[in-house]
């Protein structure tokens, strides 16, 4: 890996692509600063070496310039983490304003540029836009794992202007190192827990894991497509009719690789969403008409716990049920507790993907997991075996565009 470890940034202006896509409240205050804090080690390394940092990021999905999506709202957080007079803001990310601000920047200072996505050229991967950004710094660092799966101007195209002067930041390197423990450098038994709503969004991950894992635990809404494909009765549970044959095919691939696929023995079922719903536990492969499975049942919790406790490597993506509703959160909570307990007993655990991370945070278990990935979509694509453009652009030597 080409990381910033080997670099010395003395007197360099370092352009760092960070992922500051943080949630803001109605008053434009940062609601969760996790992503900002995650970039601090890289920024500190640049400053400690005697360089200056130019931070570039997107925020939200603006259509043109919009106050709501201005990165200036992040300034109080940055000025709190660093010194107030150390962090400067430029109200544009290219052109005269950005160029002058970058020119004036002194070693030890940080310059935050305005939202890259105020320019549609960013997401289009526009070469001219990337070139203007590149002209602001002497060295390019990509520390934005959350957008590494995008081939945007600031995440991939820009790297070609720094053939000798580019590297991955600490956060990016940390993500890659940890994900490699569930992809390449695996301790067995390896258990992958895959849940969530749909098979279609997880099928490529399942395929990529089939020759790596010992146990596959399947939970969430996607269970029922598999159960129906195998001839079970699923009542009115979520099903993807178009995925039935693919579900069978993936089970066959798993069988060929000797992977034990585990479906929940029982499910917590409901006749409707709402306070007055009838809730009962059914065998997952014989759910009554009019009932839908919305969480794994008590027997399934025991069934899965036993497997998780024997694991040396655990990957978890996707909740076991509709954990956002209190009546159907228990399965996800118990599995989260088991992953934490198995980690305590010596397993390596990685949790990634938006909803599973949200679940881990809801149950206050993030500190009891070996690694919680910061990248939702990027982590999923990495797990599918896709070479992420943001990483490839650093690792490969491409000619300047
Ligand atoms: P995903 O984004 O694919 O990981 O799916 C996460 C969503 O799946 C969450 O919002 C859950 O509420 C939902 N989900 C989990 N289990 C079920 C289920 N049995 N039926 C319907 N939706 C579910």
């Amino acid at each position: 890996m080409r990381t910033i470890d080997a670099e010395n940034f003395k007197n360099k202006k370092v352009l760092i692509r960070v992922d500051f896509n943080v949630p803001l409240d109605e008053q434009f205050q940062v609601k969760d600063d996790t992503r900002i804090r995650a970039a601090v080690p890289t920024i500190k390394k640049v400053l400690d070496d005697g360089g200056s940092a130019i931070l570039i990021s997107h925020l939200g999905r603006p259509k043109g310039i919009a106050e709501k999506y201005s990165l200036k709202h992040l300034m109080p957080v940055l000025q709190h983490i660093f010194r107030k007079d150390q962090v400067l803001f430029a109200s544009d990310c290219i052109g005269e304003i950005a160029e002058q601000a970058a020119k004036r920047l002194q070693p030890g200072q940080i310059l935050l540029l305005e939202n890259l996505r105020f320019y549609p050229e960013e997401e289009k991967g526009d070469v001219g836009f990337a070139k203007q950004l590149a002209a602001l710094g002497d060295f390019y660092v990509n520390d934005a794992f959350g957008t590494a799966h995008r081939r945007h101007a600031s995440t991939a195209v820009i790297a070609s202007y720094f053939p000798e002067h580019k590297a991955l930041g600490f956060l990016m390197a940390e993500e890659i190192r940890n994900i490699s423990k569930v992809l390449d450098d695996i301790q067995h038994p390896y258990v992958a827990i895959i849940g969530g709503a749909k098979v279609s969004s997880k099928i490529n991950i399942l395929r990529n894991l089939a020759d790596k894992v010992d146990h596959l635990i399947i939970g969430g809404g996607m269970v029922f497509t598999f159960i129906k494909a195998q001839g079970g009765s699923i009542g009115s549970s979520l099903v993807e009719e178009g995925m039935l044959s693919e579900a069978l095919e993936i089970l066959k691939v798993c069988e060929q690789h000797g992977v034990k696929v585990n479906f929940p023995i029982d499910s917590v079922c409901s006749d409707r969403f709402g306070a007055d719903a009838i809730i009962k536990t059914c065998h997952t492969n014989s759910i009554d008409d009019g009932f839908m499975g919305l969480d794994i049942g008590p027997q399934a919790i025991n069934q899965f716990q036993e497997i998780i406790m024997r694991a040396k490597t655990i990957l978890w993506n996707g909740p076991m049920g509709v954990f956002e509703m209190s009546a159907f959160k228990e399965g996800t909570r118990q599995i989260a507790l088991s992953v934490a307990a198995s980690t305590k007993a010596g397993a390596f655990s990685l949790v990634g993907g938006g909803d599973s991370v949200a679940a881990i945070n809801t149950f206050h278990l993030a500190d009891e997991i070996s690694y919680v990935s910061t990248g939702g979509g990027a982590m999923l694509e990495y797990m599918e075996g896709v070479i992420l453009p943001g990483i490839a652009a650093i690792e490969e030597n491409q000619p300047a565009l």
Side-chain angles (χ1 to χ4, degrees):
M1 257 195 287
R2 214 159 146 174
T3 72
I4 55 173
D5 274 314
E7 304 294 334
N8 187 317
F9 295 116
K10 191 166 171 55
N11 292 326
K12 298 243 171 73
K13 290 184 176 165
V14 184
L15 209 45
I16 311 176
R17 177 48 160 110
V18 288
D19 179 8
F20 281 178
N21 186 25
V22 292
L24 301 179
D25 67 15
E26 306 275 285
Q27 279 76 46
F28 305 133
Q29 293 208 7
V30 175
K31 278 203 286 190
D32 180 352
D33 64 1
T34 311
R35 285 184 162 160
I36 300 176
R37 293 193 174 275
V40 168
T42 295
I43 301 169
K44 278 221 162 104
K45 150 84 178 155
V46 169
L47 304 185
D48 290 348
D49 278 0
S52 55
I54 303 173
L55 309 182
I56 51 176
S57 179
H58 74 284
L59 175 63
R61 294 169 181 237
K63 300 204 171 14
I65 297 169
E67 164 80 6
K68 193 175 153 188
Y69 296 110
S70 173
L71 277 166
K72 74 178 180 209
H73 304 309
L74 278 60
M75 283 296 279
V77 176
L78 281 168
Q79 288 178 325
H80 179 73
I81 296 171
F82 297 93
R83 279 196 333 270
K84 190 160 195 261
D85 61 348
Q86 207 178 358
V87 194
L88 312 164
F89 180 73
S91 59
D92 204 343
C93 59
I94 52 165
E96 189 66 18
I97 292 174
E99 283 162 21
Q100 288 305 321
K103 211 167 168 184
R104 284 195 299 270
L105 201 63
Q106 296 298 313
Q109 289 186 320
I110 300 165
L111 172 66
L112 174 66
L113 301 185
E114 184 55 288
N115 195 342
L116 295 162
R117 289 198 189 164
F118 284 176
Y119 289 88
E121 288 87 345
E122 160 66 356
E123 287 185 86
K124 286 187 191 140
D126 184 83
V127 173
F129 180 71
K131 196 171 182 180
Q132 286 193 72
L133 283 175
L136 302 173
D138 311 310
F139 197 102
Y140 170 70
V141 172
N142 192 346
D143 210 18
F145 184 70
T147 44
H149 57 318
R150 306 284 183 218
R151 203 180 175 283
H152 293 169
S154 72
T155 60
V157 181
I158 190 173
S160 66
Y161 297 102
F162 299 91
E164 304 295 327
H165 299 108
K166 58 182 180 177
L168 299 169
F170 287 138
L171 172 65
M172 194 79 132
E174 188 70 356
E175 291 275 358
I176 296 170
R177 248 192 302 273
N178 280 291
I179 297 180
S180 82
K181 291 186 194 169
V182 295
L183 276 184
D184 318 303
D185 184 16
I186 299 161
Q187 301 273 321
H188 292 272
Y190 177 12
V191 177
I193 310 163
I194 307 291
K198 292 182 173 173
V199 188
S200 52
S201 61
K202 306 286 160 82
I203 195 94
N204 290 331
I205 295 187
L206 293 174
R207 254 195 210 111
N208 199 37
L209 288 175
D211 64 350
K212 298 179 175 60
V213 301
D214 303 293
H215 274 273
L216 204 51
I217 288 179
I218 302 202
M222 60 190 277
V223 163
F224 305 102
T225 300
F226 284 101
I227 300 289
K228 178 159 185 186
Q230 295 173 94
S233 316
I234 58 163
S236 50
S237 305
L238 191 69
V239 64
E240 286 177 279
E241 296 287 349
M243 292 299 292
L244 295 173
S245 58
E246 293 211 40
L248 286 179
E249 187 225 309
I250 198 79
L251 291 179
K252 207 158 148 198
V253 174
C254 286
E255 197 185 331
Q256 282 160 358
H257 285 100
V259 176
K260 174 92 176 63
V261 184
N262 303 273
F263 294 105
I265 297 173
D266 58 349
S267 293
V268 178
C269 301
S270 175
D271 63 341
R272 76 195 89 143
F273 284 100
D276 57 345
I278 300 170
I279 295 176
K280 63 179 182 183
T281 303
C282 305
H283 281 289
T284 305
N285 57 12
S286 56
I287 295 177
D288 294 341
D289 283 348
F291 280 80
M292 54 188 153
L294 294 175
D295 194 8
I296 59 171
Q299 284 191 63
I301 290 172
N302 287 335
Q303 171 199 0
F304 291 172
Q305 266 171 351
E306 210 174 286
I307 300 163
I308 293 167
M309 286 314 293
R310 278 187 275 125
K312 280 275 167 285
T313 302
I314 304 167
L315 164 71
W316 184 14
N317 170 267
M320 296 291 98
V322 183
F323 76 104
E324 300 92 335
M325 296 175 74
S326 64
F328 311 111
K329 72 165 195 298
E330 197 51 23
T332 303
R333 194 175 82 88
Q334 290 297 338
I335 295 310
L337 287 168
S338 304
V339 175
S342 190
T343 309
K344 205 168 181 186
F348 171 80
S349 57
L350 188 147
V351 177
D355 272 310
S356 4
V357 175
I360 285 288
N361 288 333
T362 307
F363 306 131
H364 306 292
L365 288 170
D367 291 344
E368 293 173 51
I369 305 297
S370 309
Y371 194 73
V372 179
S373 174
T374 58
M379 190 261 180
L380 295 185
E381 287 198 25
Y382 204 141
M383 291 304 308
E384 288 173 8
V386 174
I387 296 167
L388 305 186
I391 297 172
I394 300 286
E395 299 290 335
E396 292 162 4
N397 278 327
Q398 333 135 301
L401 296 159

